């Protein structure tokens, strides 16, 4: 059974892309077949997967507009060990161009239909906005993974996201679940982080992953080498946390890691 996860939070810089890329690589290392879809015109997941966003023949932009199939736009991330549908700044125009197309919210879902069953996991790295691209991800996904920093304004932003998820459930994707909330760049000595963490626990219970991702410079450096930290340096604290997250996700979904 394929599991399609939208990695989303409209707040910028909370670790969506770092999570998408390292989770994709970590799942692949556990023997899972993984497709990562970059849905952000910034193309950070593309670059972080070792694919040059300036040299793309086809990207998710053409896929969404129906100018290319998902199959023809995907390529291998050699560095990550997974497949990638890349993105670059072309995608910034998609928002406007989609407006006039039919079923504009479900273009990604339709495009992925033909290839999704070749994968155990499809991860959708969303842009920092509740826009048409994110909506396409929420319609295509089985569940949402929300990376967040435990800061004062985090909870406020979270309620907007949860409301959007509820609206999508009422209309376009009744089965959309919250897969989990992931605390990123976490500093356990920070009192505010502890307080926000406690509130998340209270509101979301076991939807809050027990794994937390610490602030770790190796995670931040990895994109400059064009590879996920998990494949560059599996032993660093940040990578280990993502490896733990993979285990938590696999055990929650009743899957065991397969030896590669
Ligand atoms: N655990 C971490 N420790 C240290 N740095 C991190 C960590 N996670 C992410 N970063 C860094 O923080 C910045 C933002 O992370 P990232 O790009 O993953 O966030 P994002 O939510 O995808 O951002 P955007 O909203 O712009 O797409 C990046 O420079 C990244 O390298
Ligand atoms: Mg990002």
């Amino acid at each position: 059974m394929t599991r399609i996860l939208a990695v989303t939070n409209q707040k910028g810089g909370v670790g969506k892309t770092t999570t998408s890329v390292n989770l994709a690589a970590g799942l692949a290392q556990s023997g899972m077949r993984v497709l990562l879809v970059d849905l952000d015109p910034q193309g950070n997941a593309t670059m972080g997967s070792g694919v040059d966003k300036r040299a793309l023949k086809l990207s998710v932009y053409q896929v969404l507009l129906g100018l290319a199939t998902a199959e023809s736009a995907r390529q291998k991330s050699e560095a990550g060990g997974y497949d990638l549908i890349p993105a670059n700044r072309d995608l910034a125009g998609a928002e406007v161009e989609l407006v006039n197309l039919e079923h504009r919210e479900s273009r990604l879902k339709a495009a992925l239909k033909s290839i999704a069953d070749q994968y155990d996991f499809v991860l959708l790295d969303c842009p920092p906005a509740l826009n048409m691209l994110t909506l396409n991800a929420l319609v295509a996904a089985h569940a949402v993974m929300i990376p967040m920093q435990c800061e004062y304004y985090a909870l406020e932003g979270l309620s907007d996201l949860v409301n959007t998820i509820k609206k999508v459930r009422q209309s376009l994707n009744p089965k959309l679940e919250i897969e989990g909330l992931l605390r990123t760049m976490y500093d356990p000595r920070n009192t505010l982080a502890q307080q926000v963490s406690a509130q998340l626990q209270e509101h979301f219970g076991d939807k809050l992953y027990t794994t937390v991702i610490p602030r770790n410079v190796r995670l931040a450096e990895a994109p400059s080498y064009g590879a996920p930290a998990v494949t560059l340096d599996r032993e660093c604290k940040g990578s280990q946390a993502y490896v733990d997250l993979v285990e938590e996700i696999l055990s929650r979904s009743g899957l065991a890691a397969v030896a590669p």
Side-chain angles (χ1 to χ4, degrees):
M1 282 292 276
T2 310
R3 189 96 179 130
I4 304 179
L5 301 178
V7 181
T8 192
N9 187 333
Q10 76 279 15
K11 200 166 173 356
V14 296
K16 293 181 287 295
T17 301
T18 305
T19 297
S20 299
V21 164
N22 284 290
L23 198 54
L27 286 165
Q29 286 177 2
S30 294
M32 297 292 138
R33 297 163 302 163
V34 182
L35 173 68
L36 173 60
V37 182
D38 190 350
L39 279 174
D40 188 343
Q42 297 181 97
N44 293 342
T46 299
M47 297 298 276
S49 301
V51 170
D52 187 353
K53 66 179 176 183
R54 289 153 301 199
L56 303 177
K57 288 205 184 76
L58 292 172
S59 70
V60 74
Y61 167 76
Q62 282 90 355
V63 175
L64 288 171
L65 288 181
L67 305 171
T69 61
E71 191 165 21
S72 65
R74 81 174 152 189
Q75 51 178 289
K76 265 228 124 33
S77 163
E78 301 291 346
Y82 49 82
D83 287 352
L84 171 78
I85 299 182
N88 59 22
R89 55 194 300 182
D90 290 351
L91 189 56
E95 179 92 7
V96 179
E97 291 168 67
L98 280 171
V99 168
N100 297 319
L101 298 182
E102 257 181 85
H103 307 301
R104 58 190 170 172
E105 310 91 349
S106 37
R107 313 265 325 171
L108 181 66
K109 183 188 168 105
L112 289 177
K113 201 158 255 171
S114 61
I115 60 166
D117 65 359
Q118 298 168 22
Y119 300 96
D120 298 301
F121 285 90
V122 178
L123 304 178
L124 313 172
D125 182 32
C126 294
L130 291 173
N131 60 13
M132 188 54 68
L133 296 168
T134 297
L135 191 55
N136 263 273
L138 296 179
V139 171
H142 297 119
V144 182
M145 172 178 296
I146 307 170
M148 55 183 304
Q149 278 182 272
C150 289
E151 291 174 340
Y152 184 65
Y153 291 114
L155 293 165
E156 204 174 299
L158 200 54
S159 67
D160 292 338
L161 179 55
V162 169
N163 283 332
T164 303
I165 292 170
K166 281 185 187 152
K167 279 189 205 145
V168 172
R169 256 188 219 138
Q170 283 159 11
S171 50
L172 297 156
N173 187 0
K175 290 192 181 150
L176 184 65
E177 297 172 57
I178 294 181
E179 166 80 14
L181 279 85
L182 176 67
R183 290 163 284 179
T184 59
M185 297 178 240
Y186 193 74
D187 176 3
R189 290 162 307 180
N190 180 319
T191 318
L192 178 60
Q194 292 170 9
Q195 287 168 357
V196 173
S197 220
Q199 280 176 308
L200 287 173
Q201 189 76 59
E202 200 175 301
H203 279 85
F204 292 93
D206 59 7
K207 293 280 180 204
L208 186 65
Y209 291 112
T210 51
T211 306
V212 297
I213 311 298
R215 196 172 277 285
N216 178 249
V217 70
R218 298 293 284 152
L219 291 175
E221 286 169 352
S224 67
Y225 297 100
V230 164
T231 51
L232 278 177
D233 178 3
R234 197 176 148 95
E235 299 312 316
C236 75
K237 278 215 164 83
S239 296
Q240 279 302 309
Y242 278 110
V243 170
D244 291 346
L245 180 65
V246 167
E247 273 176 32
E248 188 173 354
I249 288 170
L250 291 181
S251 69
R252 272 192 191 191
S253 45
L255 293 164
V258 188

